[in-house]
Amino acid sequence: MSKRIPPLDLSWLLLESPDTPMHVGGLLTFTLPDDAPADYLQKIARALRQQRRVEAPWNLKVSRGLRDKLIPSWVEETELDLDHHFRHVALPKPGGERELGILVSELHSIPLDTRRPLWQLHLIEGLEPNRFALYLKIHHSIIDGITVMRLLMEMLSESPDVADPTAIWTIGATAAPDGKKGTLPSVGGLVRATTGLVDAFTRPLRDSTLVAPYSSPRSSLSTPMNGQRRFTTTRIPLADLKAAAKASGGTVNDIVLWLCSTALQRYLDETDALPARSLTAAVPVNLREAEDFSVGTNIGHLLTRLATDVRDPQERLEKIMASTRAAKDRMEAMPREARYPYTLAATSSIALGGITRLDSLVPPMFSLVISNVPGPPHSKYLAGAKLESLYPISLLMRGGALNITVVTVDGVMNFGFVGARDALPHLQRLGTHLDDAVTDLKQVTTSGREASNDTRRETTPRSRR
């Protein structure tokens, strides 16, 4: 039985190339229980392999019939080669963060085999001290970050007393709800969608606070790249960002963008590669209904300025907040019927530019993607081992050599940086600069609040007696 691939999901397959593999991933690290026997991970691997039931999307592959060369479809794999999809590997000694980062960078650089279901899971042992890791990668045409996070969390348990691990391939996502995705709207909906699309692409011409697509400056983030990737991480307590957001009058997402902007400004300054105009970011937003955890992708993007051309940190934060507010207002004003076509038009234009190589003749659509995916607010476990961190590992599109994605786990924000290996050397320094920006954060938000209070005191009339 085959099922046609919705247009937005199909666009991710069209974007696939040796230089731009279109899979996303996640790196989960765990602390072994104190009483874990020497064969603890071997038992987990054996228990997972014994679970042979495979649910969608883990059994979906691209059909390869003659008709499907024009209109590809999903078909279900009847005999899954589990040894191909689930691997048990070990880190070389000393098994530190460096060895883990090198291994994951290499694994994330390898495209998935399109003749098979488009995912792999690696169980990684030998991580010191007393830890292990899971690395999952799955094609973005099959699933988006919201749904893959739900599936990962269902694989884990709420209690350390649950001894039997659950294989993620036994946890299914649902089919897309009727009428919610990839279907033609009614006549009235088509009118609203068309009007909304025209407004979305023309409003930046009338409102300078908005970012127009393909208005970003060229930089080292938009240089040609090959398929090799670098991966680095950092972690920040969520409480620090919440305090900064409250002090500044912004949101946690505003603070995340400011931290990324500050780190990028310092990173590019080191090689005299910071463009004179501000870098821009595409910030994914969830377009799903509350209970929609279906197969496929259903996300939109806000385009916002990172104000990397502004040296004063407080002014840079204010400009970021103003830009994100304007982008949110535009998205909220856009008719619901236009949001999916808007995302499809944007993604398809990137695919078309890559296929025709016209993307080298126009400015980048945006400088990079910065995404914040909700994670579990409390502790999670795998066969008694506590989840320590969950780092997202996203994809890179032509013209965008860097992606920053954040997942919050148990009160800690986990930043995953994915960069094109040749375009962005010494990527770990970006994480270091972000850590340094956290140190500056309290002073920036406090001084901004004091300046705001001073302004209010100067402009507020005295009370009459």
Side-chain angles (χ1 to χ4, degrees):
M1 180 179 177
S2 64
K3 179 180 179 181
R4 74 176 182 87
I5 302 176
L8 182 56
D9 301 342
L10 180 60
S11 69
W12 297 110
L13 288 170
L14 295 176
L15 281 166
E16 179 97 6
S17 75
D19 293 339
T20 56
M22 288 289 110
H23 55 259
V24 295
L27 175 65
L28 298 79
T29 65
F30 298 85
T31 302
L32 287 164
D34 293 336
D35 57 352
D39 62 347
Y40 177 85
L41 289 177
Q42 285 75 13
K43 288 181 177 179
I44 286 183
R46 187 161 54 248
L48 292 175
R49 287 197 178 97
Q50 290 173 350
Q51 300 175 49
R52 309 299 298 184
R53 188 182 85 255
V54 182
E55 300 285 347
W58 313 103
N59 63 349
L60 298 181
K61 66 178 183 179
V62 180
S63 62
R64 309 188 71 83
L66 181 62
R67 180 177 67 87
D68 299 312
K69 291 183 180 297
L70 296 176
I71 308 176
S73 300
W74 292 128
V75 295
E76 295 185 356
E77 176 65 89
T78 55
E79 296 183 10
L80 189 77
D81 181 1
L82 196 55
D83 288 336
H84 170 80
H85 294 279
F86 174 56
R87 312 285 183 91
H88 184 188
V89 300
L91 290 175
K93 291 185 180 299
E97 297 295 335
R98 182 176 184 274
E99 288 74 24
L100 180 63
I102 291 172
L103 173 62
V104 172
S105 297
E106 292 174 349
L107 293 175
H108 203 65
S109 300
I110 302 172
L112 289 161
D113 185 349
T114 56
R115 298 169 298 178
R116 304 172 182 266
L118 297 170
W119 65 275
Q120 281 189 325
L121 178 67
H122 289 75
L123 174 63
I124 305 169
E125 66 173 90
L127 180 60
E128 297 294 336
N130 200 40
R131 295 180 297 156
F132 69 98
L134 286 175
Y135 164 68
L136 170 71
K137 66 177 177 181
I138 184 168
H139 204 278
H140 200 24
S141 62
I142 293 179
I143 209 165
D144 58 28
I146 298 295
T147 302
V148 77
M149 183 60 62
R150 179 184 72 87
L151 298 177
L152 281 171
M153 292 307 102
E154 286 195 25
M155 179 186 69
L156 306 180
S157 62
E158 304 284 336
S159 168
D161 299 327
V162 178
D164 297 326
T166 299
I168 195 168
W169 53 86
T170 67
I171 305 169
T174 61
D178 291 340
K180 296 296 184 184
K181 178 184 173 186
T183 57
L184 291 175
S186 64
V187 174
L190 187 60
V191 171
R192 289 191 293 272
T194 303
T195 303
L197 281 173
V198 172
D199 181 70
F201 282 104
T202 60
R203 186 179 292 194
L205 302 176
R206 308 187 302 270
D207 185 349
S208 61
T209 61
L210 293 171
V211 177
Y214 296 101
S215 64
S216 303
R218 292 200 174 276
S219 69
S220 56
L221 305 186
S222 57
T223 56
M225 58 186 176
N226 60 25
Q228 296 301 304
R229 302 289 179 257
R230 294 184 189 272
F231 172 65
T232 191
T233 65
T234 194
R235 307 179 75 204
I236 300 172
L238 176 61
D240 291 353
L241 275 67
K242 283 185 173 180
K246 183 178 180 180
S248 65
T251 67
V252 169
N253 279 340
D254 292 332
I255 301 301
V256 168
L257 291 174
W258 181 87
L259 290 172
C260 294
S261 169
T262 303
L264 280 166
Q265 189 183 69
R266 295 173 181 177
Y267 176 79
L268 295 175
D269 267 343
E270 290 179 336
T271 54
D272 196 27
L274 183 69
R277 290 190 293 121
S278 174
L279 298 175
T280 65
V283 181
V285 294
N286 182 22
L287 299 181
R288 296 176 179 271
E289 301 293 340
E291 299 304 320
D292 176 9
F293 297 108
S294 59
V295 171
T297 56
N298 201 355
I299 54 174
H301 290 89
L302 302 177
L303 296 183
T304 184
R305 287 187 183 85
L306 294 177
T308 50
D309 56 336
V310 177
R311 290 294 174 179
D312 179 78
Q314 174 58 36
E315 183 183 355
R316 187 164 64 255
L317 177 58
E318 291 171 356
K319 287 186 176 296
I320 290 171
M321 290 167 59
S323 184
T324 55
R325 277 196 301 269
K328 289 177 184 176
D329 289 344
R330 177 173 67 168
M331 179 65 77
E332 291 173 359
M334 187 184 300
R336 181 168 294 277
E337 295 89 344
R339 295 178 185 178
Y340 182 87
Y342 177 74
T343 303
L344 178 60
T347 306
S348 299
S349 65
I350 296 175
L352 182 62
I355 294 170
T356 61
R357 295 297 189 262
L358 291 176
D359 57 348
S360 61
L361 304 177
V362 298
M365 185 172 186
F366 44 79
S367 302
L368 75 158
V369 175
I370 301 177
S371 182
N372 190 352
V373 179
H378 47 262
S379 300
K380 302 285 280 188
Y381 301 86
L382 176 68
K386 185 178 180 180
L387 177 66
E388 176 186 79
S389 62
L390 197 170
Y391 296 110
I393 314 175
S394 197
L395 54 82
L396 301 179
M397 292 182 282
R398 284 179 61 88
L402 176 67
N403 178 289
I404 305 174
T405 303
V406 188
V407 171
T408 301
V409 176
D410 198 12
V412 178
M413 300 197 83
N414 299 262
F415 286 71
F417 304 84
V418 179
R421 187 175 189 87
D422 294 338
L424 299 175
H426 309 296
L427 187 65
Q428 71 278 7
R429 292 199 58 78
L430 190 57
T432 301
H433 287 313
L434 195 139
D435 289 335
D436 293 340
V438 175
T439 304
D440 302 338
L441 188 57
K442 185 174 182 180
Q443 179 180 355
V444 170
T445 54
T446 301
S447 62
R449 181 178 56 190
E450 291 172 349
S452 177
N453 290 337
D454 289 343
T455 301
R456 282 196 293 270
R457 282 195 291 268
E458 292 172 2
T459 58
T460 302
R462 296 176 182 272
S463 60
R464 296 178 180 175
R465 297 182 184 272

